[in-house]
Amino acid sequence: AKARANPFYTDEVAGPLDIRNFAGDIEAPVFLASATGDEQTGPSFGDLLGEFESSSSVRTTFYNGLHADGFAPQIIAEWAAFLDLYVAERVPEISNGFRFATPILTEGIFGGQVLLPPDRWGDVATHAEALARWESEPEIRVLFDNGAGGDPGLPIAAWEESARQWPPAATVATRFFLGARGTLTDGRSGDGPGTAVAFHPDPAVAGTSFHTSGAIWFADQTWDWVPQADGDTARFQTAPLADDVVMAGPASADLWLRSDATDAEIEVVLSEVRPDGQELRVQAGQLQVSYRALDDSSTELQPVQYGREETWAPLVPDRWTEARVQIPSFAHAFRAGSSIRLTINT
C-alpha cells in the first residue's frame, strides 16, 4: 500500500529504504550473496558493489539462480568462514555433524542432496593467519553455470572467477546494434537508423508467472515459458557465435521508442539461444518509460533512473524518444555456436 501511494522516488519516503544511500556508512565487515534471478529481492544488488567504502572487509558472491540458492553449500561454507573470522574470531571450521546434516537440509530445500565443499582452512594454524588470507583474497566471487556443476538443477556452480571490482577490470564495453529483419550485430545495420520494428505492449500479461508448480526452488521445477506471438514482441538475434563470449556486469539497452500512448512499461530480456533452439533466460530489465530521466551517476553500461516527480516525462504521441533500459548485473558464458537474443516486450 505504501509503494502504491508513492509513485515517485522521494528522499523522505524512498531515501531511508535505499541502501545506496547508507552502504558507505557501514563500518562492520560485510558478506553479501545474491542471485541474478532472485524472485524476492531482485537483481539490483549490483548497484551496491563498490559502495561499502567504510567497511573493513567486504566479500560478495553472486551467481545465476533464485532466492534460496543463497543457502546452497557453496555459499554456506564461505558464510560460516566469515562468521568464524569476524564474530567467533577463530580459524574457520565446519563440524562433522553439520557436514553430515547438510545433504538432508538440501534435500528439503532443493529436492536433491548437495555436499559442503572440502575444507580450505586445514593448513591454517591461527586466527590471524586465516584473517590475513581472507582479506588478501579478491572481494568479488562469481559462480558461473550454477545448476550445471552436479546433478542438473542443483545449486552447484560449474566454474567460478574472482574480481577486485565490478564490472571486472578486464571487461570491455561492447555495442550491439538492432538491425533489419531481427538481426543483432556488432556493427551498424546497413539499413541505417531508419529501420523500425513495431510491437504491441499488452498490460494484461505484465507480471505473468511461467512457473507451473509451487516448488520453484527444486532442481526438477517445471517452467512453461511460451514465446509471445509475432507482433507482441520485437526480437533481435546474432548469428551463431564463432567463439565463447563471457559477459559480466550490468548492461544498457539504448532504445528509440515511438507510441500513440503517453506511457509504456517495457521489458528487455537477454537470452542465449542454443544450436538446438533451446532458449536460456540470462537477465531482464524493466522500465516505465515516463521514468526514463537519467541520473548524473549513469554510465555507458548502467543507466540510473530514480523516477522523481520533477523529472517525470510522459511520451509525446508519435514522437521518437530515447529511453535506456537497465539490464541489471549478470554473469554468463555464451557458448560458441549459440546466439545472443534481445527481446523487447511488455
Side-chain angles (χ1 to χ4, degrees), residues 72-74 113-115 144-151 153-159:
Q74 61 188 359
Q113 296 191 354
V114 185
L115 301 176
F144 284 87
D145 291 348
N146 187 38
D151 290 342
L154 290 176
I156 305 172
W159 54 291

Short mmCIF file of all heavy atoms in Angstrom, two decimals, residues 72-74 113-115 144-151 153-159:
data_model
loop_
_atom_site.label_atom_id
_atom_site.label_comp_id
_atom_site.label_asym_id
_atom_site.label_seq_id
_atom_site.Cartn_x
_atom_site.Cartn_y
_atom_site.Cartn_z
N ALA A 72 22.77 -22.48 -0.46
CA ALA A 72 23.47 -23.62 -1.04
C ALA A 72 24.81 -23.83 -0.33
O ALA A 72 25.42 -22.88 0.15
CB ALA A 72 23.72 -23.39 -2.53
N PRO A 73 25.28 -25.07 -0.22
CA PRO A 73 26.54 -25.35 0.48
C PRO A 73 27.72 -24.53 -0.04
O PRO A 73 28.60 -24.16 0.74
CB PRO A 73 26.73 -26.85 0.24
CG PRO A 73 25.34 -27.38 0.17
CD PRO A 73 24.58 -26.32 -0.58
N GLN A 74 27.77 -24.24 -1.34
CA GLN A 74 28.88 -23.46 -1.88
C GLN A 74 28.88 -22.02 -1.33
O GLN A 74 29.92 -21.36 -1.33
CB GLN A 74 28.81 -23.42 -3.41
CG GLN A 74 27.55 -22.79 -3.96
CD GLN A 74 27.42 -22.95 -5.47
OE1 GLN A 74 28.27 -23.51 -6.15
NE2 GLN A 74 26.32 -22.44 -6.01
N GLN A 113 20.31 -33.88 -2.84
CA GLN A 113 21.37 -33.77 -1.84
C GLN A 113 22.61 -33.10 -2.42
O GLN A 113 23.08 -33.46 -3.50
CB GLN A 113 21.71 -35.16 -1.29
CG GLN A 113 20.56 -35.81 -0.53
CD GLN A 113 20.99 -37.04 0.22
OE1 GLN A 113 22.12 -37.50 0.12
NE2 GLN A 113 20.08 -37.59 1.01
N VAL A 114 23.12 -32.12 -1.67
CA VAL A 114 24.32 -31.40 -2.06
C VAL A 114 25.28 -31.40 -0.88
O VAL A 114 24.89 -31.08 0.25
CB VAL A 114 24.02 -29.95 -2.48
CG1 VAL A 114 25.29 -29.27 -3.00
CG2 VAL A 114 22.93 -29.90 -3.55
N LEU A 115 26.54 -31.74 -1.12
CA LEU A 115 27.54 -31.79 -0.06
C LEU A 115 28.23 -30.44 0.10
O LEU A 115 28.31 -29.64 -0.84
CB LEU A 115 28.60 -32.85 -0.37
CG LEU A 115 28.10 -34.29 -0.55
CD1 LEU A 115 29.26 -35.19 -0.96
CD2 LEU A 115 27.45 -34.79 0.73
N PHE A 144 29.67 -19.33 -12.04
CA PHE A 144 29.09 -19.47 -13.37
C PHE A 144 28.38 -20.81 -13.52
O PHE A 144 28.77 -21.81 -12.91
CB PHE A 144 30.18 -19.36 -14.44
CG PHE A 144 30.66 -17.96 -14.69
CD1 PHE A 144 31.70 -17.43 -13.92
CD2 PHE A 144 30.09 -17.18 -15.68
CE1 PHE A 144 32.16 -16.14 -14.16
CE2 PHE A 144 30.55 -15.89 -15.92
CZ PHE A 144 31.59 -15.37 -15.16
N ASP A 145 27.37 -20.83 -14.36
CA ASP A 145 26.64 -22.06 -14.68
C ASP A 145 26.15 -22.75 -13.41
O ASP A 145 26.22 -23.99 -13.29
CB ASP A 145 27.50 -23.02 -15.50
CG ASP A 145 27.77 -22.50 -16.91
OD1 ASP A 145 27.12 -21.52 -17.30
OD2 ASP A 145 28.64 -23.07 -17.61
N ASN A 146 25.67 -21.97 -12.46
CA ASN A 146 25.09 -22.54 -11.25
C ASN A 146 23.91 -23.42 -11.65
O ASN A 146 23.00 -22.97 -12.35
CB ASN A 146 24.63 -21.41 -10.32
CG ASN A 146 24.18 -21.91 -8.97
OD1 ASN A 146 24.76 -22.84 -8.43
ND2 ASN A 146 23.15 -21.28 -8.43
N GLY A 147 23.92 -24.68 -11.20
CA GLY A 147 22.91 -25.63 -11.61
C GLY A 147 23.44 -26.67 -12.58
O GLY A 147 22.77 -27.65 -12.89
N ALA A 148 24.66 -26.47 -13.06
CA ALA A 148 25.24 -27.39 -14.03
C ALA A 148 26.51 -28.06 -13.53
O ALA A 148 27.17 -28.77 -14.27
CB ALA A 148 25.54 -26.66 -15.34
N GLY A 149 26.86 -27.84 -12.24
CA GLY A 149 28.09 -28.40 -11.71
C GLY A 149 27.92 -29.76 -11.06
O GLY A 149 28.90 -30.35 -10.59
N GLY A 150 26.71 -30.27 -11.02
CA GLY A 150 26.44 -31.58 -10.43
C GLY A 150 25.21 -32.15 -11.11
O GLY A 150 25.05 -32.03 -12.32
N ASP A 151 24.32 -32.79 -10.34
CA ASP A 151 23.07 -33.25 -10.92
C ASP A 151 22.31 -32.03 -11.45
O ASP A 151 22.26 -30.98 -10.79
CB ASP A 151 22.22 -33.98 -9.88
CG ASP A 151 22.82 -35.32 -9.48
OD1 ASP A 151 23.67 -35.83 -10.25
OD2 ASP A 151 22.45 -35.85 -8.42
N GLY A 153 20.32 -28.91 -12.22
CA GLY A 153 19.40 -28.07 -11.46
C GLY A 153 19.79 -27.84 -10.02
O GLY A 153 19.32 -26.87 -9.42
N LEU A 154 20.63 -28.68 -9.44
CA LEU A 154 21.05 -28.45 -8.06
C LEU A 154 22.04 -27.29 -8.00
O LEU A 154 22.80 -27.08 -8.94
CB LEU A 154 21.68 -29.73 -7.48
CG LEU A 154 20.71 -30.88 -7.22
CD1 LEU A 154 21.46 -32.11 -6.74
CD2 LEU A 154 19.65 -30.48 -6.20
N PRO A 155 22.03 -26.51 -6.91
CA PRO A 155 22.84 -25.29 -6.85
C PRO A 155 24.33 -25.57 -6.66
O PRO A 155 24.89 -25.37 -5.58
CB PRO A 155 22.24 -24.55 -5.66
CG PRO A 155 21.72 -25.63 -4.77
CD PRO A 155 21.21 -26.69 -5.70
N ILE A 156 24.95 -26.02 -7.72
CA ILE A 156 26.39 -26.27 -7.74
C ILE A 156 26.93 -25.61 -9.00
O ILE A 156 26.45 -25.88 -10.11
CB ILE A 156 26.71 -27.77 -7.77
CG1 ILE A 156 26.04 -28.50 -6.60
CG2 ILE A 156 28.21 -28.00 -7.75
CD1 ILE A 156 26.15 -30.02 -6.67
N ALA A 157 27.88 -24.70 -8.84
CA ALA A 157 28.45 -24.00 -9.99
C ALA A 157 29.40 -24.89 -10.76
O ALA A 157 30.09 -25.73 -10.17
CB ALA A 157 29.16 -22.73 -9.55
N ALA A 158 29.46 -24.70 -12.07
CA ALA A 158 30.39 -25.47 -12.88
C ALA A 158 31.80 -24.89 -12.80
O ALA A 158 32.78 -25.61 -12.93
CB ALA A 158 29.91 -25.50 -14.33
N TRP A 159 31.91 -23.56 -12.61
CA TRP A 159 33.21 -22.91 -12.51
C TRP A 159 33.02 -21.54 -11.89
O TRP A 159 31.88 -21.06 -11.75
CB TRP A 159 33.91 -22.82 -13.86
CG TRP A 159 33.11 -22.17 -14.95
CD1 TRP A 159 32.00 -22.66 -15.56
CD2 TRP A 159 33.37 -20.90 -15.56
NE1 TRP A 159 31.56 -21.79 -16.51
CE2 TRP A 159 32.38 -20.70 -16.55
CE3 TRP A 159 34.35 -19.94 -15.40
CZ2 TRP A 159 32.33 -19.57 -17.36
CZ3 TRP A 159 34.31 -18.80 -16.21
CH2 TRP A 159 33.31 -18.64 -17.17
#
